[in-house]
Amino acid sequence: MNFVYDIPDMRKIRVIIDTDAKAEADDQFAIVHALLTPKFLVKGIVTAHFYNAFTGENPFNDTMERSDKEAKYLVELLNLENDIPVFRGAKSALLNKETPQTGEGIHFIIEEALRDDIHPLFIVVQGTLTNVASALLQNPAIAQKMTVVWIGGAPYSAGGGYEFNLTVDLLAANIVFSSKVPMWQIPLNAYTSIKIGFAELYLKVRPWGEIGQYLYQQMIDYNNQRTDLPDWPAGESWSLGDSPVIAVLLDEHKCCYEEREAPQVDLYTANYIFYTGNRKIRVYHTIDSRFLLEDLFAKLQLYSCIKTPLIT
């Protein structure tokens, strides 16, 4: 995308977006933000299934296809359908820890990881880890050629437990945790900190073209539809919980994480289990919401103004 400014090529990174884009209403903001960011060389989008194994929420067998349709629509709204490919990932969770799922998106992850390119590769996972785990099972050599940035997992202070993205595929989480792939985890306590009210969305997102209108309206519509749960959504606000993957790739937030031993996850309770000598992963505890949200607002506004020369 031709943006209003560019950055040195040496600062750019390759990005694959792995998304359950139709699970809720916040993946859309992270996807659009990534596509409007000059630092990111977005190589493609891989779509993911979603299902809440603990509550039975979203018990549909077409969730990956619905994510695929949503991701393609967002790309079209930004007129990037000829530049950003969208690939279908796994349709369901792993059946065991030895057998990967299949899908064109999984093959794409492997292919891109093995590509000879000076720009480091980051897989930003905004849902289940099924696609990444399957790629690692198919070709373990890719572990040294990419970094996984994952939105998911319950707080470590609570010892783990239920969390939507984790429980969609507990086996996949254990495979990635125990692999050699560098991993940045943004758990529930960090990703839910990106609070935003609908009034702010109305004033700072909705005005900016067709994409701004869609981002705002699809969230309002989803909020109005979800009247089945007593405590969620809150009613007049949301947490843009998938967007922290953008924040930590724009700026690593070096004072906002710790290196700690990777856990395994109990398949019945989703609690974290620690074994002596486990490899280290990066776990974020804080995200700068001001930095993240203001960057999104500014890029939406700048994008809507591309066809109108800015005063310099």
Side-chain angles (χ1 to χ4, degrees), residues 138-307:
Q138 288 188 33
N139 192 329
I142 66 173
Q144 305 299 329
K145 300 179 179 293
M146 63 186 190
T147 298
V148 173
V149 186
W150 178 48
I151 297 288
Y156 281 79
S157 60
Y162 165 77
E163 187 277 326
F164 185 88
N165 290 343
L166 173 67
T167 53
V168 171
D169 193 339
L170 294 168
L171 283 174
N174 279 341
I175 287 168
V176 178
F177 276 136
S178 62
S179 73
K180 295 181 179 179
V181 68
M183 185 177 186
W184 302 358
Q185 181 185 5
I186 306 172
L188 179 72
N189 52 298
Y191 74 69
T192 55
S193 67
I194 312 303
K195 308 290 187 185
I196 193 164
F198 291 165
E200 187 172 18
L201 286 174
Y202 186 90
L203 290 175
K204 296 183 178 180
V205 171
R206 182 181 177 276
W208 303 117
E210 191 175 6
I211 189 63
Q213 293 174 28
Y214 179 71
L215 289 175
Y216 170 79
Q217 193 60 51
Q218 62 89 32
M219 178 163 283
I220 296 298
D221 291 344
Y222 188 87
N223 180 72
N224 291 341
Q225 293 164 7
R226 292 309 301 261
T227 58
D228 53 321
L229 300 175
D231 301 320
W232 183 86
E236 198 181 340
S237 64
W238 201 274
S239 171
L240 295 184
D242 291 303
S243 292
V245 293
I246 309 301
V248 300
L249 291 183
L250 281 171
D251 178 276
E252 285 193 29
H253 287 56
K254 290 185 177 180
C255 296
C256 301
Y257 65 82
E258 60 180 328
E259 299 284 344
R260 60 178 304 152
E261 289 186 344
Q264 285 288 281
V265 181
D266 184 276
L267 298 182
Y268 297 99
T269 65
N271 289 335
Y272 295 137
I273 305 169
F274 296 94
Y275 299 98
T276 302
N278 283 10
R279 60 80 170 247
K280 295 290 185 69
I281 62 171
R282 178 183 297 189
V283 178
Y284 280 89
H285 50 76
T286 306
I287 301 294
D288 186 339
S289 60
R290 187 220 62 84
F291 165 71
L292 173 61
L293 292 175
E294 290 295 340
D295 191 73
L296 170 63
F297 301 151
K299 283 172 178 167
L300 283 169
Q301 184 173 353
L302 288 170
Y303 173 72
S304 73
C305 297
I306 283 177
K307 294 182 180 179

Side-chain angles (χ1 to χ4, degrees), residues 38-169:
K39 181 179 178 179
F40 297 173
L41 302 171
V42 179
K43 310 307 290 187
I45 299 173
V46 179
T47 55
H49 66 101
F50 52 93
Y51 174 70
N52 187 323
F54 278 32
T55 67
E57 184 183 354
N58 292 329
F60 306 107
N61 59 11
D62 66 340
T63 55
M64 183 276 292
E65 286 85 355
R66 289 194 282 151
S67 294
D68 182 76
K69 182 179 179 180
E70 182 73 357
K72 287 176 178 175
Y73 184 63
L74 292 170
V75 169
E76 290 170 3
L77 282 177
L78 291 171
N79 298 311
L80 291 173
E81 59 267 32
N82 295 324
D83 302 300
I84 307 296
V86 179
F87 301 95
R88 294 184 172 196
K91 292 184 177 182
S92 60
L94 297 176
L95 298 177
N96 57 64
K97 63 181 181 181
E98 290 84 24
T99 308
Q101 292 286 11
T102 59
E104 60 181 2
I106 295 165
H107 176 74
F108 170 69
I109 291 172
I110 296 171
E111 184 179 66
E112 189 61 41
L114 296 175
R115 190 181 305 281
D116 186 15
D117 195 308
I118 62 171
H119 303 98
L121 176 63
F122 292 84
I123 315 293
V124 296
V125 183
Q126 300 168 196
T128 176
L129 285 161
T130 306
N131 292 326
V132 171
S134 295
L136 288 166
L137 285 173
Q138 288 188 33
N139 192 329
I142 66 173
Q144 305 299 329
K145 300 179 179 293
M146 63 186 190
T147 298
V148 173
V149 186
W150 178 48
I151 297 288
Y156 281 79
S157 60
Y162 165 77
E163 187 277 326
F164 185 88
N165 290 343
L166 173 67
T167 53
V168 171
D169 193 339

